[in-house]
Structure formats: structure tokens, C-alpha cells
Amino acid sequence: DAGVIQSPRHEVTEMGQEVTLRCKPISGHDYLFWYRQTMMRGLELLIYFNNNVPIDDSGMPEDRFSAKMPNASFSTLKIQPSEPRDSAVYFCASSWGQGVGNTIYFGEGSWLTVV
Amino acid sequence: LAKTTQPISMDSYEGQEVNITCSHNNIATNDYITWYQQFPSQGPRFIIQGYKTKVTNEVASLFIPADRKSSTLSLPRVSLSDTAVYYCLVGDTGNQFYFGTGTSLTVIP
């Protein structure tokens, strides 16, 4: 399997612009996660889906952030409008939830810089 | 969710055995203990998982005492390439998604 695939790998954008991050989970996985990592706050869980349904979005920082999962093989995380404090690495991850202590597989991350 | 506590950082010389302990005093009966490793510029990756006693794989060993209120990740004979952040997670199938601050391990030549 190709693993979790994220795009773009790197993005530099100006404040106020819309940013869309994309993710293709591992085929067959029924959980999908979006994390954000910064030096100050570490690895934060933003939102996760189970069978394409958002289960917990309490980690989404504010209304500027939204996430969708229209089907089992695709998800997006959108920031509109973007701000410099959104600069971070955004990881998408997936897992097979039926096993005990399900293992999470991470993508390589999308490195976002908002100037 | 069971809260975990780990040392913020550790240093070790090459070739030594490294033990990283994680405290999880309120672990629940159904909870498993899972450790992840994160290299710079990469996402975390699974190392090892256990429920009780001892688990060993080709990368590490995990020691869990009978009361399960703590666990110790053991890395045998570390090399420079083991420099990474190590995270301890505790939970069952439905909630083992939350990462703490992790332990930053630096291996010194």
C-alpha cells in the first residue's frame, strides 16, 4: 500500500488567502484524522472521522477551519481566511478501527507557511 | 481519557540501552499502551503496543507492571538514528488518538 498521501507537501501563502490541504487515507481504513503540529503546542488532534462521518471536531481552533470527507478515499482540511498563526505542519492519518488499540498511520505532512 | 506523563527530554550515548518511562495512573481496564516514534520532518510511526507484562519486537521492548499504572519503553543499544521524539498513548480502540508532549531523545556519539 502507498500509505497515507497528503498534498501539497509544502505551501506558502499570504495572509487572508484560502488554503486547502488534501488527504488520501490507506485503503480499507475507516478512521481518518487531521493533526496540527507546532513547536509551541506539539501534536494536536483537530478532527477525526469514522466511516466518513465527523466524530469529534473539538480540536478545530475556530470557524476559519473546516474539514470534509466526501468519500472513504478523500478528505480536505480548509482554512479560510488563513493567518500567520496557522503556520504549522498538518498531518493526516488513518487507522483500522476494529482492532484493539488501533494503530495510526501518518502521512508525511503538509508544511504550511502563512506570511 | 487516561492522562500520560513522560520526561520532556533524555540524552544517551551510542550503544547504551535507553529506558523511557510513561506514567498513566488512571488507565482503564480496556486501555492499551502504545508507543510512537517521530523523526524530524516526519509523521509519528508505531513502535510497539502492549496490555500487560512484556512485549518485544525487532525495534524495542515494552515493560508493563502488574498495576499497569506505568510502562517503560526500552531501546537496546541506541544509535544516532534513534534520535527522535517518543510518544506514549493510552486508550482503547475508540480513543487512542491523543498525543502528549512526548520525550525528546538525543543520542550522543
Side-chain angles (χ1 to χ4, degrees):
Chain A
D1 199 308
V4 177
I5 300 173
Q6 294 186 243
S7 65
R9 289 295 316 280
H10 297 88
E11 179 152 348
V12 180
T13 190
E14 292 185 346
M15 182 174 60
Q17 296 298 306
E18 178 179 288
V19 173
T20 299
L21 308 179
R22 299 172 177 80
C23 175
K24 176 179 168 55
I26 293 173
S27 177
H29 281 188
D30 57 347
Y31 280 81
L32 183 138
F33 310 88
W34 283 101
Y35 290 87
R36 177 174 69 176
Q37 187 167 36
T38 61
M39 288 293 293
M40 291 297 295
R41 301 177 68 89
L43 194 59
E44 303 173 274
L45 176 64
L46 300 178
I47 184 172
Y48 76 90
F49 297 81
N50 180 218
N51 292 321
N52 312 338
V53 177
I55 302 301
D56 183 359
D57 65 354
S58 60
M60 296 285 263
E62 48 198 273
D63 292 345
R64 298 184 297 106
F65 285 70
S66 63
K68 294 182 179 179
M69 191 166 186
N71 57 62
S73 60
F74 183 68
S75 177
T76 60
L77 177 68
K78 189 171 292 187
I79 308 172
Q80 167 63 20
S82 59
E83 297 181 3
R85 59 188 169 133
D86 301 330
S87 297
V89 183
Y90 291 83
F91 288 105
C92 178
S94 69
S95 71
W96 168 236
Q98 296 303 310
V100 292
N102 48 305
T103 301
I104 304 171
Y105 296 85
F106 283 77
E108 294 187 334
S110 291
W111 297 70
L112 174 65
T113 302
V114 182
V115 297
Chain B
L1 294 176
K3 178 178 170 57
T4 60
T5 303
Q6 305 174 232
I8 297 294
S9 63
M10 295 179 68
D11 293 336
S12 176
Y13 288 102
E14 271 192 297
Q16 291 189 330
E17 178 183 77
V18 171
N19 296 309
I20 305 174
T21 297
C22 179
S23 297
H24 29 81
N25 291 321
N26 59 338
I27 188 169
T29 302
N30 294 331
D31 287 346
Y32 276 69
I33 301 159
T34 308
W35 286 80
Y36 287 80
Q37 174 190 56
Q38 184 179 24
F39 296 116
S41 305
Q42 295 184 24
R45 67 169 188 165
F46 172 88
I47 302 177
I48 197 167
Q49 182 180 81
Y51 183 80
K52 62 180 179 181
T53 62
K54 176 183 174 182
V55 179
T56 297
N57 62 22
E58 65 277 6
V59 176
S61 294
L62 179 60
F63 299 91
I64 305 169
D67 65 7
R68 304 202 323 124
K69 293 184 183 299
S70 66
S71 58
T72 298
L73 175 72
S74 181
L75 305 172
R77 298 179 299 281
V78 294
S79 65
L80 297 177
S81 63
D82 292 316
T83 293
V85 178
Y86 294 82
Y87 295 94
C88 164
L89 276 71
V90 172
D92 62 18
T93 300
N95 60 28
Q96 200 176 88
F97 314 140
Y98 301 91
F99 287 72
T101 55
T103 298
S104 178
L105 171 66
T106 301
V107 179
I108 305 165

